[in-house]
Amino acid sequence: MSRVVILGAGVSGHTAALHLRRMLGKEHEVLVVSPNSQWNWIPSNIWVGVGRMGVKDVTFPLAPVYRRQKITFTQAKAVALHPDGDTTDPRPAVDVVHTSAQRMGEHELIRYDYLINATGPKLNFQATPGLGPDGNSWSVCTAGHAVEAAAALEDVIARLRSGQPQRLVIGMGHGTCTCEGAAFEYAFNVEHELRAAGVRDLAEVVYLSNEHELGDFGVGGMVFGQRGFLTSSQTWTESLFRERGVRAVLGAHVERVEEGKLYYETLAGDHESLTFDFAMLLPPFRGAELQAFDRLGEDITATMFAPNGFLKVDADYTSKPYDDWRAADWPSTYQSPAYGNVFGVGIAFAPPHQISRPRTSPNGTVITPAPPRTGMPSGIMGRQVARTIADMIQTGATEPTHTASMADMGAACVASAGTGLRSGSAAAMTMYPVVPDHQKYPHGGRSLTDTFGEIGLAGHWVKHALHYLFLYKAKARPGWFLIPE
């Protein structure tokens, strides 16, 4: 019998767990460790954040799903890995601290044969003083955060209705943030709600981002091939900003957030400030900050993890100039080079470098989006690693049998620009590959036939349908595995 332990129950971890249980016989155990009791379809948190959905619309309890699927569920937070075992037992193990009401604070050592690190990100609000719901800005990173943001937005709309002008700042709370797409979505959903409430004329909406140009989205921008013409995502995005009257402040690193005022540094090295009545600013991400120890208890964290807390996998982490970056630098198997039975997927793996061109201010401040690794790519990684582990268990394979390089992977994204079955709209985009391959595709590093974008009401219908489709899939309803990641 083999035991596969999966740390995290987000898109990557949950996908891997369901596929492993489907592929492995009952004699093998699939065990999920997650500090959260609820699964959250995070892309729809933006709709919670404008009051169009509630928490129950985007979450569901994990335990019943895992019980039905015969997956062991431990509600706990992983804190340390022991990949060589310890002095009492040579089997590798993970140290966890329970977070359920019944076992809160209790430590447990869980032995494993294979481990998937799918812990996702630590929301690093501490990187910017005053950032986050415990400080002076709001967030939509969790369903709970989104509820708080929606309440604050409702207060802003009430003040607008009373005739008080309001400035709303939405974007990134640090120069190294990722998930620019989520900030883009929230900005235009808020703008849509202001128009729907009839108060848009008194509101100024500002999009504050670490992107060098609009349409970068942390992937270096895109070039769309449409009807024989080439269109950049920058031009495409700028037209939407002009149409909706949203002002963009780009190349910005937020230094601190005070009540009603934020301070930021620009790529030019200037220090600026911006007052606000409402601010939703996303935090930068770190790894879950797992520690690692060898059998004798010596710290080997630096061997397994990058300084940012993400797990090192089969990537080329050699430091080199931007022009020397290659698609081949990116991992394909997500296997730890130090331990062949350990894998890292989704946000939990350490990327070899950014996708967008790296930029710093004259003061040495990094102001460049970190590479996004969420959504569709995370699900694909989870599935392919699950297939590899199943082959290792069932056939005795000693090397990974399935790959999922972001440099050879397409992705589709439907970014909401306002909800409503008649009045909503969304930007539907596809790209192939996610990580540009400039040697293979000289026009922007991506296939022009597989990279395109459209915006309109139909995109909103698709986004709305995907919300229910992926909740159905995540609940492991009949035929769930037929739905693509």
Side-chain angles (χ1 to χ4, degrees), residues 99-130:
T99 58
S100 66
Q102 298 80 5
R103 303 181 65 181
M104 181 66 70
E106 181 183 332
H107 278 259
E108 182 181 1
L109 202 60
I110 299 174
R111 303 288 172 177
Y112 65 83
D113 296 289
Y114 296 89
L115 180 82
I116 299 176
N117 179 15
T119 47
K122 173 186 176 182
L123 303 176
N124 193 18
F125 291 108
Q126 296 78 13
T128 301

Side-chain angles (χ1 to χ4, degrees), residues 158-231:
R159 291 195 292 272
L160 286 164
R161 283 180 170 143
S162 71
Q164 302 176 53
Q166 300 282 286
R167 175 182 287 162
L168 299 90
V169 180
I170 297 164
M172 318 309 292
H174 192 273
T176 63
C177 285
T178 186
C179 288
E180 286 73 18
F184 167 91
E185 286 189 274
Y186 191 67
F188 283 97
N189 270 266
V190 166
E191 194 277 337
H192 178 84
E193 294 302 319
L194 295 174
R195 282 189 287 114
V199 294
R200 181 66 179 89
D201 58 327
L202 285 174
E204 180 186 7
V205 181
V206 179
Y207 177 74
L208 180 73
S209 180
N210 55 349
E211 297 163 275
H212 178 252
E213 59 191 28
L214 289 174
D216 180 283
F217 295 125
V219 296
M222 291 166 275
V223 176
F224 304 138
Q226 296 176 319
R227 300 180 180 90
F229 296 96
L230 299 182
T231 303

Side-chain angles (χ1 to χ4, degrees), residues 141-161:
C141 291
T142 70
H145 288 175
V147 168
E148 294 173 344
L153 178 61
E154 187 176 349
D155 290 342
V156 166
I157 292 175
R159 291 195 292 272
L160 286 164
R161 283 180 170 143

Side-chain angles (χ1 to χ4, degrees), residues 12 117-121 285-290 301-318 326-337 342-355 370-373 378 381 404-406 435:
S12 263
N117 179 15
T119 47
F285 293 164
R286 282 189 57 83
E289 298 185 338
L290 287 167
T301 304
T303 300
M304 296 192 70
F305 295 91
N308 56 14
F310 297 120
L311 182 74
K312 295 178 186 176
V313 292
D314 61 311
D316 182 354
Y317 294 107
T318 306
R326 295 292 181 266
D329 296 343
W330 284 75
S332 59
T333 67
Y334 304 94
Q335 184 181 44
S336 165
V342 175
F343 297 81
V345 293
I347 294 177
F349 85 85
H353 47 65
Q354 295 138 323
I355 301 176
R373 309 184 297 288
S378 285
M381 293 175 212
S405 171
M406 288 176 63
V435 174

